[in-house]
Amino acid sequence: MPLPTLLVLDADPPPRLGRLTGRVRVEHADASTLAERLPSADVLLVWDFTSHAVRAAWPGEGPKPRWVHTASAGVDHLMCPELAVSDTVVTNARGVFDRPIAEYVAALVLAMAKDLPRTLALQRERTWLHRESRRVAGTRACVVGSGPIGRAVAGTLEALGVTTALVGRTARAGSDGTAAVHGAEDLDRLIARADWVVAAAPLTEQTRGMFDARRFGLMQPSAHFVNIGRGPLVVEDALAEALERRRIAGAALDVFTSEPLTPDSPLWDVPGLIVSPHMSGDTLGWRDELGAQFVELYELWAAGKPLVNVVDKQRGYVPGH
């Protein structure tokens, strides 16, 4: 019986798949060769999760992989109508990035509350300027996105004494120790009273551009905004204007509409904006975790058992959270 073919959309360094040695035929592709190799693959591992090559290369008719796994939480980079209507199963890397991103958000909240960016800038200038900073405990946060990452962010902020509201697609009561989730209809009301607004939602047609001039206008002048979800959740020009006109106090972006951010992007110079290069979930050893997760999923697939982290291809995320 021939070995299954695993096609890897490459990124450097490649995944470590040692436990699969001798059990699968591994082939590699890049954006230029993906289309010709997809029809002969049983499984596609999208290791290069910054690439949009899958959307362009996915075959509309004929043979195609039975399973696609992306080494990322978001799936917007690979979803296309042909894949959405196919019987191919799509899974994601749910669970790997939750805690690291939550820690990163907490670090940003503390940095902005304690005015650390300005402290570091004043140190470089050798300027002694005493200031008062903000207490985090007792403030309010609105976390938009009720998946594992959003829940981890909410839990970490709660541990800092921040009263946190979690917003999802639909409202649902908490159970078995999980927090209640507000529906999308509550979003405007909650961000209007929040000190910290954190975007952690998946990118769908419903969430694209959801943080626009109107929503930034609803926020308090003392509010801060953080995006660790997907870049296109935010209308970046509207955020820049809100900061320049001091309609909100500050913001931090770890994801952008176009990445990498070019040296001539005006976002680098927006007052009160912290820019980081899509690194909130990338802690030491994260690639090994992603590789190990895929191997565990492959074991289930090879045994004919149900996969976990299965994406609802119409919604664009893993349901049930």
Side-chain angles (χ1 to χ4, degrees):
M1 185 173 180
L3 295 177
T5 298
L6 167 61
L7 181 62
V8 180
L9 181 58
D10 279 330
D12 190 41
R16 295 183 180 180
L17 306 173
R19 276 169 48 191
L20 301 184
T21 301
R23 300 172 54 195
V24 62
R25 182 172 64 254
V26 179
E27 296 184 356
H28 300 271
D30 57 21
S32 66
T33 60
L34 182 63
E36 66 182 83
R37 296 184 180 178
L38 271 174
S40 62
D42 296 292
V43 179
L44 172 65
L45 169 57
V46 185
W47 190 246
D48 182 0
F49 53 80
T50 66
S51 172
H52 291 78
V54 176
R55 296 169 65 179
W58 190 260
E61 301 291 341
K64 55 183 67 68
R66 290 175 283 159
W67 167 36
V68 173
H69 177 75
T70 179
S72 61
V75 298
D76 53 279
H77 60 291
L78 59 87
M79 292 304 301
C80 60
E82 294 81 7
L83 175 55
V85 301
S86 73
D87 57 3
T88 298
V89 176
V90 176
T91 57
N92 73 352
R94 180 187 183 196
V96 172
F97 300 106
D98 308 353
R99 295 306 312 170
I101 290 178
E103 292 174 1
Y104 201 87
V105 171
L108 289 171
V109 166
L110 289 168
M112 290 188 286
K114 304 308 177 184
D115 200 21
L116 291 184
R118 191 178 182 200
T119 294
L120 295 173
L122 290 169
Q123 179 181 350
R124 288 191 294 270
E125 298 170 5
R126 298 175 179 264
T127 299
W128 181 281
L129 181 64
H130 179 269
R131 301 166 334 274
E132 295 176 346
S133 65
R134 189 174 188 180
R135 184 184 299 219
V136 171
T139 59
R140 295 176 180 270
C142 176
V143 178
V144 185
S146 59
I149 291 173
R151 289 184 178 277
V153 169
T156 302
L157 293 179
E158 290 276 3
L160 294 175
V162 180
T163 300
T164 306
L166 196 59
V167 178
R169 187 167 174 260
T170 56
R172 52 196 181 275
S175 61
D176 298 327
T178 62
V181 177
H182 295 268
E185 66 276 5
D186 292 332
L187 178 58
D188 288 356
R189 174 178 62 84
L190 291 169
I191 66 174
R193 60 191 293 196
D195 300 291
W196 316 98
V197 177
V198 181
L203 179 62
T204 67
E205 288 309 308
Q206 290 71 41
T207 62
R208 185 181 297 274
M210 67 186 302
F211 290 101
D212 54 10
R214 185 185 72 81
R215 287 224 159 96
F216 289 124
L218 291 173
M219 296 179 194
Q220 302 179 76
S222 59
H224 291 74
F225 174 77
V226 177
N227 186 16
I228 45 78
R230 306 298 288 172
L233 297 176
V234 177
V235 179
E236 292 170 348
D237 289 346
L239 173 61
E241 183 177 5
L243 289 166
E244 288 163 353
R245 295 180 178 272
R246 298 185 180 178
R247 291 172 183 156
I248 62 174
L253 298 179
D254 186 55
V255 287
F256 301 85
T257 300
S258 180
E259 297 181 7
L261 205 61
T262 59
D264 61 349
S265 170
L267 291 175
W268 294 106
D269 299 316
V270 173
L273 177 62
I274 298 174
V275 170
S276 60
H278 204 151
M279 58 180 284
S280 60
D282 301 348
T283 53
L284 296 174
W286 66 285
R287 290 183 180 87
D288 289 340
E289 289 187 56
L290 288 172
Q293 181 188 55
F294 174 75
V295 170
E296 294 295 332
L297 286 170
Y298 187 89
E299 299 281 8
L300 294 175
W301 182 82
K305 296 179 180 179
L307 291 167
V308 298
N309 292 4
V310 175
V311 173
D312 182 320
K313 294 185 291 183
Q314 300 303 320
R315 296 183 184 181
Y317 55 87
V318 178
H321 49 257

